[in-house]
């Protein structure tokens, strides 16, 4: 086992292209509607599996059709599903409306994911099986796990595991509650809108500096969609990763794929720039197909795209990109 991916595992029901949401009693036609495996723990886990790493997926599902579908899809995608627990609370689900440009809006039912606890994570056993990293995804919609996360990350650190955290959008607006977890976090990768709320800063470079100032121990990244990503270390290293010019079919899961590529590179000791470019390539490939994981590819084609991308060295706080920024929202199923 290489990576333990813990958190939200969600049934994504995706419709595209959605020009407008119909009024009560009306009907709108779309080209396609599909049911997909989603949720940032599953999305990042599958990205890691496609890149050749062994992944155990830990989460809570309901005893329902969505749960059956998600467990089977995760297993077929190469994840170890022994630790997907099934209970009476319905499986977490999201309705995803995708417009013609690939932008998304969401309706989410938290469901079984809220029942996940630190005790559900067999950390010592999986460490004994060779796990090298613990990734927790969906922090702001994991109320059962949230209070115990610093202790869980502390235990992971004692066992020699890299710790990684992804938040998703906080619909409650209580963003500072993640601060307590950051000094225990090696790798932290929020989207720019999320990171702005977490830090209280606006400019991307200042946001990145603030995240590291909150205690992130090894790598912080700020995902900016078509603007690329900022990535840095506490030693002052700052990089701007370019985004690949791809046609976006569905942006769901792109941020989760970025984290998968980044972690895959870090676990292979490829260095910050190479790991960051692998993350950018994985995110770019993800948006080329419907659903959060259908566009993901193996290590060779992902690395081939990564080798075409730029990684510019910056001064601290030195990037203030103009142009459109990501929308001030983010999905439980996959951050932008």
């Amino acid at each position: 086992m290489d990576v333990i991916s813990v958190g939200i595992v969600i049934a994504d029901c995706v419709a595209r292209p959605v020009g407008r949401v119909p009024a009560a009693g009306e009907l709108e036609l779309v080209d396609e509607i599909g049911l997909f495996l989603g949720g940032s723990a599953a999305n990042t886990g599958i990205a890691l599996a496609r890149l050749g790493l062994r992944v155990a997926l830990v989460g809570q599902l309901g005893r329902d059709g969505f749960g059956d579908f998600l467990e089977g899809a995760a297993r077929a995608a190469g994840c170890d599903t022994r630790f997907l627990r099934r209970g009476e609370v319905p499986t977490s689900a999201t309705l995803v409306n995708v417009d013609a440009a690939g932008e998304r809006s969401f309706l989410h039912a938290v469901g079984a994911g809220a029942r996940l606890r630190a005790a559900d994570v067999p950390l010592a056993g999986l460490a004994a099986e060779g796990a090298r990293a613990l990734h927790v995804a969906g922090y702001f919609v994991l109320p059962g796990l949230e209070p115990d996360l610093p202790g869980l990350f502390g235990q992971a650190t004692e066992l020699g595991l890299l710790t990684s955290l992804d938040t998703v959008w906080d619909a409650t607006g209580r963003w500072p509650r993640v601060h307590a977890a950051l000094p225990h976090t090696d790798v932290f990768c929020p989207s720019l809108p999320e990171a702005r709320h977490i830090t209280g800063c606006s400019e991307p470079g200042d946001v990145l500096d603030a995240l590291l100032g909150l205690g992130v121990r090894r790598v912080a990244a700020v995902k900016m969609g078509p603007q690329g990503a900022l990535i840095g270390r506490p030693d002052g290293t700052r990089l701007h990763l370019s985004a690949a010019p791809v046609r976006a079919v569905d942006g769901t899961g792109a941020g989760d794929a970025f984290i998968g590529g980044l972690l895959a590179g870090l676990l292979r000791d490829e260095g910050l720039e190479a790991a960051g470019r692998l993350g950018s390539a994985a995110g770019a490939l993800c948006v080329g197909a419907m659903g959060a994981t259908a566009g993901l590819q193996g290590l060779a084609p992902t690395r081939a795209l990564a080798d075409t991308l730029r990684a510019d060295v910056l001064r601290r706080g030195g990037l203030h990109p103009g142009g459109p920024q990501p929308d001030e929202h983010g999905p439980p199923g996959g951050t932008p």
Side-chain angles (χ1 to χ4, degrees):
M1 194 59 55
D2 295 304
V3 181
I4 311 165
S5 188
V6 178
I8 52 176
V9 182
I10 294 172
D12 282 343
C13 188
V14 183
R16 69 172 293 273
V18 178
R20 73 178 186 96
V21 177
E26 295 183 355
L27 174 73
E28 287 286 325
L29 298 177
V30 295
D31 291 344
E32 53 185 325
I33 297 174
L35 178 63
F36 300 93
L37 172 64
S40 48
N43 298 342
T44 296
I46 291 172
L48 286 159
R50 294 274 172 86
L51 294 172
L53 297 174
R54 300 167 302 153
V55 179
L57 189 58
V58 180
Q60 289 275 355
L61 303 175
R63 292 193 182 99
D64 51 25
F66 278 167
D68 294 341
F69 168 77
L70 295 178
E71 185 172 356
R75 186 181 302 112
C79 291
D80 182 340
T81 60
R82 288 176 292 164
F83 309 106
L84 288 176
R85 309 301 184 195
R86 308 289 292 269
E88 299 306 320
V89 177
T91 298
S92 306
T94 301
L95 297 179
V96 185
N97 293 328
V98 182
D99 68 17
E103 291 297 327
R104 303 147 295 148
S105 62
F106 310 86
L107 293 171
H108 179 64
V110 174
R115 298 295 184 94
L116 186 65
R117 302 288 189 272
D120 295 326
V121 185
L123 196 56
L126 287 173
E129 292 183 26
R132 296 181 288 147
L134 171 65
H135 177 62
V136 172
Y139 179 87
F140 287 125
V141 288
L142 294 170
L145 183 61
E146 178 189 328
D148 296 324
L149 186 61
L152 182 66
F153 272 8
Q155 183 186 359
T157 299
E158 290 177 1
L159 291 168
L161 275 67
L162 180 81
T163 59
S164 172
L165 181 63
D166 187 21
T167 57
V168 307
W169 187 258
D170 184 9
T172 73
R174 296 180 292 125
W175 298 92
R177 58 197 166 113
V178 75
H179 291 184
L182 297 185
H184 307 276
T185 301
D186 292 315
V187 180
F188 185 47
C189 301
S191 70
L192 178 58
E194 293 163 358
R196 282 172 167 161
H197 286 282
I198 290 166
T199 64
C201 298
S202 178
E203 297 293 348
D206 298 333
V207 168
L208 180 62
D209 289 346
L211 291 175
L212 291 162
L214 287 168
V216 177
R217 297 188 298 197
R218 182 168 171 182
V219 175
V222 180
K223 300 172 293 187
M224 303 187 299
Q227 296 277 328
L230 283 185
I231 187 168
R233 292 193 302 235
D235 65 3
T237 301
R238 302 290 185 273
L239 300 173
H240 175 222
L241 305 166
S242 66
V246 295
R247 177 178 174 270
V249 173
D250 178 7
T252 306
D256 305 326
F258 173 91
I259 297 172
L262 176 66
L263 289 175
L266 292 174
L267 290 171
R268 288 190 168 97
D269 296 321
E270 294 185 3
L272 186 64
E273 179 180 336
R277 287 192 283 107
L278 193 65
S280 292
L285 291 168
C286 177
V287 305
M290 280 274 285
T293 60
L296 297 172
Q297 298 187 30
L299 181 60
T302 305
R303 195 186 298 282
L305 178 59
D307 289 343
T308 71
L309 303 180
R310 293 180 57 188
D312 297 320
V313 178
L314 306 169
R315 291 175 291 106
R316 294 187 73 155
L319 183 70
H320 306 277
Q325 298 294 324
D327 292 338
E328 286 285 319
H329 63 72
T335 52

